[in-house]
Amino acid sequence: MKVYRNLEAFQNVNNPVLTTGTFDGVHIGHQKIIQQINDVAKQVGGESVLLTFHPHPRMVLFPNDSIKLISTQQEKIERLEAAGLDHLIIYPFSFDFSRLNYVEYVRNILVNGIGVKHLVIGYDHQFGRNREGSYEQLEELAPLYEFKLQEIPAQTIDDVNISSTKIRRAIQSGDMETVTNYLGYRFSLQGMVVDGNRLGRTIGFPTANIQVLDENKIIPGNGVYAVNVRHMNASYQGMMNIGERPTISGEKTLSLEVNIFDFSEEIYGDLIEIEFVKRIRDEQKFDGTESLAQQLQEDKNICLNVL
């Protein structure tokens, strides 16, 4: 897959079959669209293209919204490449760009900039200034600008339409089963192991304190999770606590700590990836470290069964 950071670099692509959108998380609905443009590209002797945006449009248009994203830009690139996409255009989103009306967007970006011959979009796609463009407007413009148009219906699970917004809500509530069903893979985050107070090792449960690398990455809701941990191309099982550590800390700062099972290496400063499988309980306060240690042993047994 070739990646472009501007339209000027996108040249000499044969018969572009295009879709467009933010594609945060590259969930199973997005994957269906990529599959469709790949299929169309094979049929017409073309190449599949996704036009996406950075930063996320809501970050530009609503700077106080504080949206957190399912995938970092690198994670999104990797998911799209795994889906078999030929070309990815990451267009710089700005307020001035957002003021293009839907006709200018189609003419200047999709037609003159990309040279679209086939356009495939999701059922609810909107575009242009104030999101005034829709499938109906595209039906009018397609004959004028000589491209073919196809709409993909919503992908559903248990009659619920899948969307990045619904997945973010599920992540924030700790509902990892729903997250996995909607994404088609398990949600994960990467972070650096940083120094902590090392209390865990005194009660038999040493933890790695995680500093998430991307400030825009969404963090699951507080609680204890069964997780898989990847470090240096090896995978381990573990349990993770996200919260304020009420038993051992009076501070109101968010902490991410993972106890890696059967692991004793010093990994301060290393990068690790946490893959979330299931939330097993709420974070809670205990009378002291002894009762905390007892609960952690119960948590470990539950996590081992889950994993």
Side-chain angles (χ1 to χ4, degrees):
M1 182 180 76
K2 295 182 179 179
V3 181
Y4 311 83
R5 306 286 175 171
N6 55 68
L7 288 184
E8 289 73 22
F10 184 79
Q11 296 181 1
N12 302 318
V13 173
N14 183 43
N15 200 4
V17 179
L18 174 70
T19 192
T20 179
T22 55
F23 276 58
D24 183 31
V26 194
H27 57 62
I28 61 173
H30 296 143
Q31 295 165 33
K32 178 68 175 179
I33 294 175
I34 297 300
Q35 178 185 335
Q36 186 64 31
I37 63 173
N38 284 338
D39 290 345
V40 173
K42 289 179 182 178
Q43 293 168 10
V44 301
E47 299 176 61
S48 60
V49 183
L50 168 62
L51 170 65
T52 192
F53 309 99
H54 184 77
H56 191 287
R58 278 174 58 181
M59 292 180 174
V60 174
L61 300 177
F62 308 102
N64 297 323
D65 189 10
S66 68
I67 182 176
K68 298 296 183 181
L69 302 179
I70 303 165
S71 53
T72 65
Q73 187 173 114
Q74 184 58 39
E75 288 168 344
K76 182 162 75 170
I77 290 171
E78 291 171 1
R79 288 287 172 188
L80 291 167
E81 185 168 26
L85 184 69
D86 293 324
H87 302 274
L88 173 63
I89 304 170
I90 303 174
Y91 194 90
F93 192 90
S94 65
F95 183 77
D96 287 343
F97 174 74
S98 75
R99 304 316 295 162
L100 290 177
N101 63 44
Y102 72 88
V103 176
E104 293 170 327
Y105 172 76
V106 171
R107 181 187 64 225
N108 298 349
I109 305 298
L110 305 190
V111 177
N112 295 337
I114 297 174
V116 59
K117 297 300 181 184
H118 296 258
L119 180 61
V120 179
I121 61 169
Y123 77 105
D124 61 348
H125 185 68
Q126 294 175 297
F127 57 95
R129 184 172 57 210
N130 299 324
R131 296 169 60 87
E132 60 195 6
S134 65
Y135 188 80
E136 288 70 25
Q137 278 77 38
L138 287 172
E139 285 183 310
E140 298 174 359
L141 295 174
L144 177 63
Y145 291 111
E146 299 181 334
F147 62 85
K148 295 182 179 180
L149 181 63
Q150 182 177 350
E151 185 179 37
I152 299 291
Q155 301 302 299
T156 64
I157 292 179
D158 296 332
D159 297 322
V160 177
N161 291 348
I162 299 168
S163 71
S164 297
T165 299
K166 291 175 182 175
I167 296 171
R168 292 187 203 108
R169 290 173 184 160
I171 292 171
Q172 290 172 327
S173 69
D175 184 1
M176 290 302 157
E177 292 94 334
T178 294
V179 172
T180 301
N181 285 339
Y182 285 8
L183 287 176
Y185 59 90
R186 290 187 177 128
F187 172 80
S188 65
L189 57 80
Q190 289 187 331
M192 180 178 292
V193 179
V194 296
D195 203 2
N197 60 16
R198 308 195 183 201
L199 178 63
R201 66 181 60 193
T202 69
I203 59 174
F205 291 92
T207 60
N209 292 267
I210 310 303
Q211 179 180 326
V212 178
L213 299 180
D214 191 324
E215 64 180 4
N216 295 318
K217 179 78 172 184
I218 193 169
I219 305 296
N222 289 5
V224 179
Y225 294 83
V227 299
N228 292 313
V229 182
R230 297 191 183 95
H231 172 255
M232 302 291 286
N233 297 319
S235 183
Y236 307 88
Q237 296 176 335
M239 60 182 178
M240 184 168 204
N241 183 79
I242 299 177
E244 299 172 351
R245 302 185 301 171
T247 305
I248 59 176
S249 174
E251 300 177 1
K252 293 292 184 180
T253 56
L254 186 67
S255 172
L256 288 78
E257 297 178 278
V258 60
N259 172 242
I260 308 173
F261 301 155
D262 303 317
F263 185 87
S264 59
E265 298 178 31
E266 292 286 354
I267 54 174
Y268 293 112
D270 289 2
L271 295 178
I272 64 173
E273 182 178 6
I274 310 296
E275 180 186 80
F276 291 82
V277 179
K278 185 176 182 178
R279 184 177 184 270
I280 65 167
R281 67 169 173 88
D282 294 338
E283 185 182 42
Q284 60 191 94
K285 185 174 183 177
F286 298 92
D287 294 333
T289 55
E290 183 177 344
S291 56
L292 172 60
Q294 292 175 351
Q295 181 62 56
L296 290 175
Q297 185 59 56
E298 293 180 21
D299 293 341
K300 180 176 180 179
N301 293 337
I302 294 171
C303 287
L304 285 170
N305 286 332
V306 168
L307 297 169

